[in-house]
Amino acid sequence: MEDVLKRLLEAESRAEVLIKEADAERDRLVQEARAEARTMEERFAASLPALRASFLFSECGRTRWQSLQAESNWLGDAGMLFLLAFQGL
């Protein structure tokens, strides 16, 4: 009976070690995933000016820009303020 209890206690000790290792591994993976997500968000944010520029220089962007210019002429100063805000995007 004493051997059985001793083996059970040893098994419990090994299980606790495995649980601690698994918890540490999980924490490490979560931290890696967070760091990777931050890096990807930073890359995306850094690429936004180029994306905006490519849109503005595309045919669709030129057409939209011309349309905004025409609207600003019709709207007056408020339209020009909008155009300036759009241009800064």
Side-chain angles (χ1 to χ4, degrees):
M1 182 66 138
E2 218 173 279
D3 288 341
V4 172
L5 289 175
K6 191 174 183 180
R7 287 195 333 240
L8 284 174
L9 288 173
E10 289 172 0
E12 183 180 15
S13 295
R14 287 192 306 267
E16 287 176 358
V17 168
L18 290 174
I19 289 170
K20 286 180 184 178
E21 289 173 357
D23 284 344
E25 179 68 9
R26 183 197 61 224
D27 291 343
R28 185 187 65 77
L29 291 172
V30 167
Q31 292 303 319
E32 281 181 15
R34 286 182 179 162
E36 187 176 342
R38 275 191 300 274
T39 300
M40 292 171 66
E41 287 175 348
E42 290 168 0
R43 283 185 197 156
F44 176 73
S47 72
L48 285 177
L51 290 171
R52 288 182 183 120
S54 69
F55 171 75
L56 290 175
F57 291 113
S58 71
E59 187 60 35
C60 177
R62 279 193 298 273
T63 303
R64 182 70 180 130
W65 182 250
Q66 291 165 354
S67 170
L68 286 171
Q69 285 176 324
E71 289 173 19
S72 74
N73 291 338
W74 181 74
L75 292 172
D77 291 340
M80 188 51 74
L81 289 174
F82 176 78
L83 261 179
L84 291 172
F86 179 78
Q87 188 176 20
L89 294 179

